[in-house]
Amino acid sequence: MQHLLSPSIMRLVLPVLYAVVIVAVLPLMAGYIVLMERKVMADMQARLGPMRVGPHGLLQPIADAVKLLLKEDIIPEKADRLMFWLAPLVSVTMALLAYAALPIGPAFQIADLNIGLLFILAVSSLGIYGIVLGGWASNSHYSLLGALRSAAQLVSYETAAGLGLISALLLAGSLSMHDIVMAQYDQGMWFIFYVPIGFFIYMVGSIAETNRAPFDLPEAESELVAGYMTEYSGFRWSLYFLAEYANMIIVAGIATTLFLGGWLRPFAGYHDHMPGTSIELLDALPALLVFGVALYCLFLAPKQPVRIQKIVMALVGGLCLAIAGVLAGSLFASPAVLQGVHGAFWFLAKVFGYLYFFLWFRFTFPRYRFDQLMRLGWRFLIPLALVNLITMAIALLISREWGWSLRLTSILAIVVTLAVAMFLAKNDEVDSAVPVAESE
Amino acid sequence: MSDPRTTEPTNVSTTVLGADEIILNMGPQHPSTHGVLRVKLKLDGERVVDSECIIGYLHRGVEKIAEHRSYQQFAPYVDRMDYVAAVSNGLGYCEAVEKLLGTEAPIRARVVRTILTELQRIASHLLWLGTHALDIGALTPVFYCFREREEILKIFEKYCGARLTTHAFRIGGLQYETYDGFEQDVKRFCDDFVHRIDEYETLLTENRIWVGRTKGVGILSAADAIALGVTGPVLRASGVKWDLRKAMPYAAYDQYKFEVPTRETGDTYDRYVVRMEEMRQSRLICLQGIENIPTGPIMARIGKVLKPPPGEVYHSIEAPKGELGYYIVSDGTTQPYRVRVRPPSFINLQAFDKMARGSLVADVVAIIGTIDIVLGEVDR
Amino acid sequence: MANDPSEKDSASKTPASGAVGKPAAEKPVEPSQAPSAAANPSAPPAAKPAAPAAPATPKAAAPPAKEAPPKPLPLDNELVQRLKARFGDAIHEATLDRKQAIVTIAADQLREISRYCRDDEKFDMLVDLTAVDWPKREKRFDVISILYSFAKNERVRLKAHAGENEPVPSVCEIWPAANWLERECYDMFGIVFEGHPKLTRILMPDEWQGYPLRKDYDILKQDTDWVRENLGIESGQ
Amino acid sequence: MVLNSILFYFFSALAVGSAILMVTRRNVVHGAVYLITTLLATAGVFLLLQAEFLFIVQVILYVGGIMVLFVFVIMLVNLDVSLLQYQFNRQRFVAGVLALALGAQIFVAIKMGQKSLFPMTRVPQMSPKNTEAVADALFGHFMLPFEIASILLLVAMIGAVVMAKRRV
């Protein structure tokens, strides 16, 4: 196959293949994240969540997708047709474009740009246009107000999230995502342990950036109803929906790559062998885990009330069994294949772990008011991120110049930053207590 | 560009961006107006300059109907007014007519009435907490609150067959004897409930965002509260220690010890704390009540046909929303000549404009929630 | 049925039978089903037939322990004396009905007496403000305002008689609570409170004709007019 | 190489086309969108020249930052007033002279660069890590201008805040 195509074309085939896989899998993954969200929400609220479509609601995303396709797609009469059509497209394309540099496995990366992280940030920040143009095109006062509010929120929290990321970049020394993960492998420590405050700031910034949880203000404002998405319906609305969940996965991917060691297995550097075989315990873990899930599904299958649900549960069990087989099989294959397959598993596991926090925040915290949200962003998060960046840089400098171990200096940096955070929080408290007088 | 706005702002404050005052309509069909309430807000940018509540969408003319029904026949209508606290409505009406007749319900009936009314108060506060937290964005408390409220509604259903509009009491006492296992059910609910309240507290009370959204929002001073005739938890949160169950005890409240919680600043957070404390106190009353429900008749000796002597009476009770009063004029026939209901939600809602003025649009939802109105009672 | 006989006496006896007569005639049809449905199964059947046979007897036997004498007795405590001293003949009479103080005052003095009650007598909360319609009297409306004093933990009821189109002084500046209450009184009875900041209908639609809670307000006529006006057909009521 | 030049012509055509469209649109929002496409097209050209950092800076700065501001202002200022006014003022003569001058300039540029119009030779391979190269230049060699520029921006920001503050 190699000689058939010229090398320059050959260089394109693999990335295009990955791109097709990602674009195909993404809507399915977004659908199942929605299901995961509804199930976790139900679990936290002492109820069951969707149970009717498929066993334990497993076919719910497919049902939702079909519904959205069949729903009537209304365009408001005096709306700006070109913009109304263009806005969701902009949102979705920018969200999908950001996957180009996301390293899912050591090999599974569409394009290892040497400005990878910057590219993802730039492209995901273009998503604002989708929102603002959507709000404008719907020609209704409220959706415009909602659009401008979410745009303002996105812009201000991007700075905070960006500064949070830079503190991790200091350690990595390169913008390419692949090198960042390799840096964490070389230093033998995930960056979250060196710069946890940067991770915290990035998490809060990313939640605000994707308009979720305590910051999902534009949709939930009492008079804005659904913000910029009010006038959209049917498939067009699902494009926005897909863009939002794609953004969520990207944000989780960036956090995993930068702070949680991308596709690295926990204790990546630690090598021991189970007696008698060449397999390491930690490598076998994913296979065992998925195998356990498969057994549980097969165990549940006969107990499903409806026959169709029995079949679907059995299918799911079979699918998990297959994945477990692949994972186990790769144990015996060459290290490259092992790292590739397990890398993808660990990356996805961390992404879903990170998303679980998103969902957790959504169901415990009430919503911020818009001025509180802005105050938190500008008065607390951005100064804290700056301070964290400076202290981290100093810590790095000390460890390089005077040879102290980075762990020690980073702990000092964290203590200093926390002290500053306390100070910032205290005077932030005083301001927010008197909103009325302040603006007169 | 006008100089810094030291002068009185002109009625139409035109700012550089030309965003002059806009009129914003909330309701009557709106997710967080607790029923068909329409609020016209005049906004200057984000700040509420003036507000006007337009009500009457649920007006069914209960007082007109009362003039064409006999005393017993009107009792079920009373449940439909504040449909969230039907039992206490019934208690107020029955006691008012008993006062009109000059009789009193036997002690056993009064004790059972007190227990059921206190359970209803907890149920009403639970519904308030759930919807109030939902309006401010906390998605979870509403499901916990409704789980507890379900227990109470089961007790009502076992006792009188209905969950919401119960018509649990009759003029002169009770219609049904308490079902066996009534004490155990109430005991089980009370024992379990104390942990549940702590669950809500952990979710909300120290939650920085909840405090940020409620502290300093919708402040009502004690003087304004009294002047506006506001009663109930809203009044107590403004610092006035006044509860009809203590000031003018009715039913069997004089036999039980309980506290009247009050707070000082009278903002949304204080009203939240007062109502949470009230739920704990109601639980204590129920526990004291079921210790010994006295034996004896459950119905006073009044005839089938009630013809109270001509005259008038005003009797009021401490309903979950405030002072619920009945002013009944009798002309000696079997049908009341005039029944006037003093609706706490109607008068508390009047204080909305005082609270909402100067606050932000996002707070309007919290303020409507904190007054705890039910439109059935506002419109009657 | 159980309520039938008493229904007829009430129709004839009530002074307001005049215009109300026509609807009252249909009334017995309606209520008779309601009570039988409401009459609970547990009451022994034997007792029911006995009741209609002798409607007169339960009336006498019914309220054996009725202490409140039919006519409210005159009241003369310090409050009434101070009021009389201050306002003289504006205080028409003071009675005690079912142990509740009622002071009947002249309508035009309502604002001064209310201000006096709030400032000097410490009745700082207006519990309720409503009206009762006695169409037979020449001053047909009773404007009732119920006051409560936190200090003395006591209630008093001021009753002022007002004629059909006779404006009553508004107490809005004394108790802001009166704002909506007076609007409701105007909406339901048509009593004009002069000095009220915005006296408009509060519960009924703004363009509603007639005042619902008046005794001579006939729902049926109102309904047929509305149907004829808006739908252009004859309502079959 | 063929792919390279195809892309180059595609991007430049896109840039010129959307620039023309931008000017002629009556609806301001459409104009803004076409301006964004122009900027993205020029970013594409940077990418073709292997200047990845410039590509990213162009995308983040112009399209992600400045254009968002443009769109914000367009949406906040209610436009139905300006749409009614006549868009073009009557200085036709001045416009004509300017157009001629610009035309002459372009003609001279083309005349001089005749050889490199159709780039046959490959652009010299930039060092893969041009981000470091840019960083060294900025903070090493051109430290002073960089600081002056940042102070200038700071002053501008403070000025904006003061102006906005006075109005509130």
Side-chain angles (χ1 to χ4, degrees), chain B residues 97-240:
Chain B
V97 177
E98 280 154 18
K99 223 179 206 177
L100 198 61
L101 288 165
T103 64
E104 206 184 28
I107 178 65
R108 180 176 174 79
R110 279 190 280 120
V111 167
V112 171
R113 277 180 170 178
T114 310
I115 296 168
L116 288 175
T117 313
E118 284 313 308
L119 282 175
Q120 179 70 83
R121 189 186 311 279
I122 296 176
S124 165
H125 282 340
L126 283 176
L127 185 122
W128 159 79
L129 179 62
T131 47
H132 186 37
L134 192 62
D135 293 344
I136 295 190
L139 303 180
T140 323
V142 65
F143 291 96
Y144 294 162
C145 296
F146 273 62
R147 180 186 53 195
E148 266 65 67
R149 190 163 171 274
E150 198 57 33
E151 297 309 318
I152 299 177
L153 297 188
K154 282 201 184 86
I155 296 174
F156 286 160
E157 191 171 10
K158 271 197 201 157
Y159 171 68
C160 61
R163 290 159 53 87
L164 202 60
T165 52
T166 48
H167 189 204
F169 308 139
R170 293 297 184 282
I171 298 165
L174 297 177
Q175 178 73 24
Y176 313 105
E177 186 53 71
T178 51
Y179 62 90
D180 45 18
F182 174 73
E183 285 84 356
Q184 288 78 357
D185 283 359
V186 175
K187 183 99 181 61
R188 188 160 21 85
F189 169 76
C190 289
D191 295 347
D192 168 50
F193 187 63
V194 67
H195 312 300
R196 297 293 183 223
I197 281 213
D198 299 340
E199 232 174 73
Y200 311 147
E201 296 264 355
T202 49
L203 251 179
L204 289 177
T205 309
E206 284 88 27
N207 188 329
R208 261 177 68 83
I209 304 177
W210 174 261
V211 171
R213 280 299 298 275
T214 52
K215 211 172 245 322
V217 169
I219 293 173
L220 187 69
S221 68
D224 287 345
I226 294 175
L228 283 164
V230 165
T231 55
V234 181
L235 182 64
R236 286 191 282 277
S238 301
V240 180

Side-chain angles (χ1 to χ4, degrees), chain B residues 10 18 32 36-37 47 52 109 141 156 174 185 197 242 259 276 290 296 314 332 365 367:
Chain B
T10 56
S32 56
V36 266
L37 160 72
R47 202 155 288 286
E52 183 201 352
F156 286 160
L174 297 177
D185 283 359
I197 281 213
W242 182 73
E259 292 301 318
M276 296 298 275
I290 54 171
Y314 176 79
V365 173
I367 293 170

